[in-house]
Amino acid sequence: MKNETSPYRALVVDDDANVRELLRLSFEREGVRCEVAEDGIVAENQLRQRNFDVLVTDLRMPRKHGHQLITEVLAKHNRPMVIVITGVADPRIVGDLFARGVADVVSKPFDFPIFAVKVRAMLDRQTKGIDMAQPHAGVAGQIDQASLALQAQLAQITESFNATISNLTSQKEALEAGFLNSVRVFTSLIAESGHSDESHAVRVEQMAMDLADAAELTSSEKNVLGIAALLHDIGQFGMPDSIRSKPPWLLDPDERAVYCRYPLIGASLMGEMPGAMKIAGLIEQHSENFDGTGFPWNLEGPHVSISARIIRIADGVDTFLSHARGENAIDQVCEHIRAQRGKAYDPELVPRALVYVTDYWKASQDTKTVRVPADSLRPGLTLAENVYDPDGHFLARRGATLTLSMISHLRSLIGKQDVLVVEPESE
């Protein structure tokens, strides 16, 4: 153990707090000053502020992973020694790290005090120039040949890896699209049990996705938002029809007391689903107003997530639109949006909402529909109304794009009954 003050400074980056603390203590016992960071973003800021002699980093971390941090650090002119600690013992990954300039790769778990002694010794040797000696010419040639072989192998591995990632991405997107369609069908069934002739939830999802682009949400955030937007009213399922059939602003105090519980009920229902914590959180917050007058917790402004604020304006606008009457209905909706700017609705989202509502209204007026016998349906047509069998059973939702499977089942259930579809554009 070395107690004297050391000129060395180490930065330990790991998302495991126990690992960070044990390494910090071990380094300090060896006289190495040590700072810690929980991920690559925090580490990046520390590296900007001061120089370090050694960077010890994990690979798998949130926000910014170790591979990206290592790439940026090794590109610097005055770079620290880089040592990787990881639980991923893949020879190809280890070979790649060494090829990129990493000084050592240590597999977890390991002995922290011995690791600190080893790093201190490596720093001492580097300082004395032992590792900087030029290799013999023959050895240098062998190293060059080995390096070329490794680069060729790395190119093959990279090509295979990229192909695998592309394939997995396509499968992931297909699964997500299929799941979203399943949720859309489910929400349409909920609407059928109430008083809607089409799915309010699907329209809320469509507007929310448009606002998500304006808010620059990530792909992952959009996926969670889409599901939450479709299921935002799930807590109303089972409420008395006398409450569900009224616009919220016409409820009496007793009815409103019952109504204001539905976000919590919805969050509770979603809480039973593994991995649905973020969705449940958006459902719980989506009725909070920007000025803090919403429910259930009277949260305001930035205390409500941006995704929940998006659902709030999409839900409020569609609810108001569905009750607007007269030829100037769209003007009424736009006036409602402006009046609620900074009150119910996030003021940053209002301009995009006004554009969306105007475009949506124009598109709905311009959309032409045509009735087609079920035996003349073809894949790719979009349903312009909900489809029911002769006994009144709900079969398919408005807005669904027909597939071969759907057409086959519809023909079996409704025979030659006419179906209203969006008139396809002339080819």
Side-chain angles (χ1 to χ4, degrees):
M1 180 184 298
K2 299 180 187 263
N3 294 317
E4 68 271 17
T5 302
S6 165
Y8 304 132
R9 186 187 297 273
L11 175 60
V12 173
V13 190
D14 198 298
D15 58 345
D16 188 322
N18 291 328
V19 172
R20 295 197 302 270
E21 180 62 15
L22 289 170
L23 278 176
R24 185 186 66 80
L25 292 172
S26 298
F27 273 128
E28 290 182 351
R29 289 193 187 102
E30 292 302 312
V32 178
R33 290 172 292 179
C34 182
E35 297 183 23
V36 298
E38 61 266 29
D39 59 43
I41 296 294
V42 178
E44 186 179 45
N45 291 332
Q46 290 172 260
L47 286 163
R48 289 198 194 101
Q49 295 173 11
R50 63 187 61 85
N51 293 326
F52 291 89
D53 299 289
V54 60
L55 169 68
V56 179
T57 181
D58 191 11
L59 293 180
R60 293 184 175 178
M61 296 180 292
R63 298 207 297 171
K64 189 170 190 175
H65 55 73
H67 286 289
Q68 187 176 355
L69 178 64
I70 291 167
T71 299
E72 294 174 359
V73 169
L74 292 177
K76 297 177 181 295
H77 175 69
N78 186 22
R79 61 177 183 257
M81 177 190 296
V82 178
I83 297 176
V84 171
I85 52 175
T86 178
V88 182
D90 188 324
R92 292 174 299 181
I93 294 177
V94 173
D96 173 60
L97 290 170
F98 279 123
R100 290 159 60 190
V102 170
D104 199 4
V105 180
V106 179
S107 297
K108 295 179 180 179
F110 56 86
D111 187 295
F112 296 101
I114 291 178
F115 175 80
V117 170
K118 176 182 176 182
V119 173
R120 170 69 191 250
M122 292 171 69
L123 289 169
D124 286 341
R125 292 180 67 193
Q126 180 175 272
T127 301
K128 294 174 183 178
I130 296 176
D131 288 337
M132 302 302 292
Q134 292 296 325
H136 187 273
V139 175
Q142 293 176 2
I143 291 174
D144 288 342
Q145 291 178 2
S147 178
L148 289 173
L150 282 173
Q151 288 177 13
Q153 292 178 11
L154 180 60
Q156 293 177 348
I157 293 169
T158 301
E159 182 179 358
S160 175
F161 177 77
N162 289 336
T164 301
I165 291 297
S166 177
N167 185 39
L168 289 174
T169 300
S170 298
Q171 293 180 26
K172 176 177 176 287
E173 290 173 350
L175 285 170
E176 289 174 347
F179 178 70
L180 274 174
N181 280 331
S182 298
V183 176
R184 290 185 185 110
V185 171
F186 174 66
T187 55
S188 294
L189 289 170
I190 292 177
E192 284 301 311
S193 69
H195 298 269
S196 303
D197 61 356
E198 56 183 310
S199 179
H200 159 72
V202 171
R203 296 193 302 272
V204 171
E205 179 214 4
Q206 291 170 344
M207 184 172 180
M209 290 297 97
D210 184 84
L211 294 176
D213 290 333
E216 298 183 347
L217 266 59
T218 65
S219 176
S220 176
E221 290 170 331
K222 287 180 183 178
N223 290 337
V224 173
L225 171 62
I227 297 171
L230 286 166
L231 296 175
H232 72 279
D233 277 344
I234 193 172
Q236 294 186 24
F237 194 59
M239 281 190 172
D241 288 346
S242 60
I243 294 177
R244 294 182 66 199
S245 61
K246 287 183 182 179
W249 54 87
L250 294 182
L251 297 173
D252 64 36
D254 291 336
E255 291 172 330
R256 186 163 182 80
V258 175
Y259 175 79
C260 287
R261 297 177 59 205
Y262 88 83
L264 285 175
I265 296 172
S268 177
L269 292 172
M270 292 303 298
E272 297 183 23
M273 295 178 59
M277 184 184 303
K278 292 181 179 179
I279 298 170
L282 297 187
I283 291 174
E284 181 175 341
Q285 289 189 353
H286 83 273
S287 288
E288 301 288 358
N289 288 337
F290 191 79
D291 63 1
T293 60
F295 58 89
W297 304 118
N298 302 117
L299 301 178
E300 62 178 310
H303 297 292
V304 182
S305 74
I306 181 61
S307 294
R309 281 178 266 156
I310 286 173
I311 298 177
R312 175 67 185 98
I313 191 169
D315 179 31
V317 167
D318 189 76
T319 300
F320 191 92
L321 180 60
S322 64
H323 291 89
R325 297 290 182 268
E327 294 181 358
N328 67 337
I330 188 63
D331 295 329
Q332 297 174 39
V333 175
C334 290
E335 182 57 34
H336 161 75
I337 295 173
R338 294 187 188 97
Q340 292 301 319
R341 179 172 187 161
K343 296 178 181 178
Y345 305 148
D346 183 338
E348 297 295 325
L349 297 173
V350 164
R352 183 61 174 254
L354 289 167
V355 173
Y356 177 86
V357 168
T358 303
D359 290 347
Y360 174 84
W361 184 263
K362 288 174 62 178
S364 67
Q365 300 302 304
D366 295 340
T367 299
K368 297 180 180 179
T369 59
V370 61
R371 290 203 170 273
V372 178
D375 57 1
S376 297
L377 294 173
R378 64 179 186 273
L381 290 176
T382 301
L383 294 177
E385 65 180 2
N386 293 340
V387 179
Y388 304 85
D389 70 6
D391 295 322
H393 297 124
F394 175 68
L395 302 179
R397 65 176 181 84
R398 176 192 181 202
T401 301
L402 292 175
T403 63
L404 280 173
S405 177
M406 290 176 66
I407 292 170
S408 175
H409 289 113
L410 286 175
R411 287 172 179 169
S412 299
L413 292 166
I414 64 176
K416 296 183 178 182
Q417 176 181 316
D418 285 348
V419 177
L420 188 67
V421 299
V422 175
E423 185 175 357
E425 295 182 4
S426 56
E427 300 180 356

